[in-house]
Amino acid sequence: MSILAKAVATAIDSLLPELESIYMDLHEHPELSMQEFRTASIAADYIEQLGFEVTRNVGVTGVVGLLRNGPGPVVMLRADMDALPVTEATGLPYASRVTAKDDDGVEVGVSHACGHDLHVTWLMGVSRLLAGHRDQWQGTIMVVFQPGEEVGRGARSMIEDGMLERFPKPDIVLGQHVMVGMAGTVGYRSGAILSAGDSLKVRLFGRGSHGSQPQTSIDPVIMAASTTLRLQTIVSREISPHDSAVLTIGALQAGTKENIIPDEATLKLNVRTYDEDVREYMLGAIRRICCAECVASDAPREPEFTTLSSYPLTVNDAAATSRVGGTFANWFGSRAYETQPAAASEDFSVFGRSWGVPYVFWFVGATDPEVFTQASKAGKINTIPSNHSPKFAPTLHPTLRTGLEAMICAASSWLESGGESH
Ligand code: ZN
Ligand code: ZN
């Protein structure tokens, strides 16, 4: 049993009302990726008052807080802060009505449809609990509020801003994500827990012409159609049935008018994989097929590839996960379970990868138990609004408490040991 978690349990009760109002305020004031100025300053001010050494504007809006409490391991706890360009449709009294300009200058509705407002609230609460119970642990806590997870840039921008040189190297990096699942539960697993996600834009070049004179054109519409179909054969014909991958072409654009053959076509595609070799293979095969289709059409130029985003695999360290899992099992009992890997991606692992240290990431269920049980009985879990849906609405209780307990339990697996192995 985590002594620390036990010690803070009653403190959580008195902290919940404050955290609830912080959460609702953050929820009502979401900010797009790499624009999290208000959120970052709320988090930074809060932990500064608790006695953390605070560094602001790391990688644009990132915040790093250090609380040194004697010799022992350095434990990094991470929360992402950004919201999504999604118009909220939850009908909650504290729903967002915010609009903002995205990177292309387009006015969009903004909301915390991925629940990062809860991640920020949890980490603020955990900071307070740890600061208030310094007699129960030793070591150094490093809390990190990260920008731009949804665009896959935030963690890298913090690293590029000198994170590795400016702050102590952690012994362990810990993070959690709110998800569809029975509220009050935590799901964890050793090994790959989140897929790698790669998004590419591919421009295919042809030669425009009058629609009545195809012989004078090189038709990029045909090239794009043929490429689209052929790309779908990578997973079905080239990947072993023991491996898995997803390839989705989410955008296919060419032309303006029925009697004009356009100059070029654009594909935007997304790839999810659970294994580094499969990922490399998929990316190579995509290039090969796009290039070959262009040759087949006698295209005037090779296709142009642009990486839109690239999320690495999230692979939980086996030894570190068994430490965390042991503490979870003791504290949560049957409410802690081994989860399947999710076909979602995160840039959380960038920190652990860059420092070359183990990391553990887990899920916290946020669906009202009644709703979840009903949906589960009816075989309709897929109908519960998930992360990124305009209707995604985590139930606050007990989710708020569960996330605090999970983070405290996980951190205590290092902080109570003073750096020794169990
Ligand atoms: Zn998300
Ligand atoms: Zn997220």
Side-chain angles (χ1 to χ4, degrees):
M1 182 67 71
S2 164
I3 302 159
L4 185 58
K6 218 169 178 177
V8 304
T10 44
I12 291 181
D13 290 330
S14 45
L15 187 54
L16 282 179
E18 173 181 313
L19 293 181
E20 195 171 314
S21 64
I22 289 171
Y23 170 75
M24 288 177 183
D25 174 64
L26 294 174
H27 192 87
E28 255 187 291
H29 300 94
E31 295 169 295
L32 287 176
S33 302
M34 309 309 290
Q35 303 178 22
E36 310 88 341
F37 299 100
R38 180 181 184 273
T39 310
S41 85
I42 288 171
D45 291 348
Y46 188 87
I47 59 168
E48 203 161 59
Q49 278 181 7
L50 298 171
F52 282 69
E53 295 163 35
V54 176
T55 310
R56 299 167 194 245
N57 307 320
V58 183
V60 189
T61 62
V63 176
V64 179
L66 284 167
L67 188 63
R68 299 178 208 267
N69 191 29
V74 178
V75 176
M76 175 177 151
L77 309 176
R78 172 270 204 180
D80 42 7
M81 302 187 284
D82 53 335
L84 284 161
V86 169
T87 303
E88 181 161 352
T90 59
L92 289 167
Y94 49 92
S96 158
R97 285 181 291 274
V98 171
T99 60
K101 283 208 163 44
D102 68 8
D103 280 353
D104 300 325
V106 179
E107 194 80 7
V108 289
V110 184
S111 67
H112 270 296
C114 204
H116 298 180
D117 46 352
L118 198 49
H119 302 172
V120 173
T121 309
W122 279 334
L123 194 51
M124 287 168 68
V126 165
S127 300
R128 171 151 229 154
L129 294 167
L130 289 170
H133 293 81
R134 278 179 245 203
D135 53 334
Q136 303 287 337
W137 59 276
Q138 61 172 32
T140 296
I141 282 289
M142 176 158 70
V143 296
V144 173
F145 295 91
Q146 181 211 301
E149 185 282 325
E150 296 290 355
V151 292
R153 284 210 303 273
R156 276 190 196 93
S157 80
M158 291 188 81
I159 297 290
E160 283 161 12
D161 200 9
M163 228 168 123
L164 304 193
E165 300 79 38
R166 292 164 70 186
F167 303 103
K169 178 179 178 171
D171 292 274
I172 180 76
V173 179
L174 302 170
Q176 56 186 357
H177 207 299
V178 56
M179 285 270 181
V180 168
M182 177 91 83
T185 63
V186 292
Y188 64 96
R189 98 189 291 275
S190 178
I193 187 161
L194 291 169
S195 61
D198 290 278
S199 292
L200 292 178
K201 181 168 109 176
V202 187
R203 283 174 76 194
L204 304 171
F205 301 101
R207 185 166 66 232
S209 169
H210 197 288
S212 66
Q213 293 166 40
Q215 77 282 8
T216 64
S217 78
I218 292 175
D219 190 344
V221 174
I222 299 296
M223 232 185 281
S226 195
T227 304
T228 298
L229 291 176
R230 180 94 202 190
L231 286 174
Q232 290 306 338
T233 66
I234 306 173
V235 175
S236 69
R237 301 292 81 192
E238 300 187 41
I239 298 294
S240 154
H242 301 294
D243 291 322
S244 67
V246 177
L247 190 158
T248 293
I249 295 153
L252 173 57
Q253 286 147 350
T256 53
K257 200 168 180 295
E258 71 286 355
N259 63 352
I260 301 174
I261 297 170
D263 264 332
E264 62 174 87
T266 303
L267 307 179
K268 286 184 186 167
L269 56 89
N270 179 257
V271 186
R272 307 279 171 155
T273 49
Y274 297 94
D275 177 280
E276 198 54 51
D277 291 341
V278 176
R279 173 175 176 267
E280 289 294 323
Y281 186 88
M282 288 291 296
L283 295 176
I286 289 165
R287 275 180 180 266
R288 186 189 78 230
I289 287 170
C290 291
C291 291
E293 286 295 343
C294 289
V295 172
S297 291
D298 196 22
R301 273 174 67 186
E302 290 220 318
E304 180 187 283
F305 299 91
T306 311
T307 301
L308 298 175
S309 67
S310 176
Y311 293 85
L313 270 174
T314 306
V315 187
N316 285 335
D317 179 78
T321 306
S322 90
R323 264 198 199 198
V324 171
T327 318
F328 279 175
N330 279 330
W331 185 258
F332 293 108
S334 62
R335 291 190 291 131
Y337 66 97
E338 272 202 49
T339 184
Q340 291 292 311
S345 306
E346 258 280 349
D347 67 354
F348 163 77
S349 74
V350 167
F351 296 108
R353 286 168 182 273
S354 303
W355 256 302
V357 298
Y359 56 84
V360 183
F361 193 74
W362 63 90
F363 306 139
V364 178
T367 313
D368 180 82
E370 183 76 16
V371 172
F372 191 83
T373 310
Q374 294 295 336
S376 181
K377 272 190 199 149
K380 287 186 172 166
I381 287 175
N382 284 337
T383 63
I384 299 171
S386 67
N387 302 61
H388 292 209
S389 155
K391 293 188 173 166
F392 180 67
T395 187
L396 258 190
H397 302 293
T399 313
L400 194 48
R401 169 183 281 276
T402 308
L404 295 170
E405 290 177 344
M407 199 58 126
I408 292 280
C409 278
S412 75
S413 315
W414 279 266
L415 296 171
E416 282 176 9
S417 66
E420 306 299 323
S421 294
H422 287 292

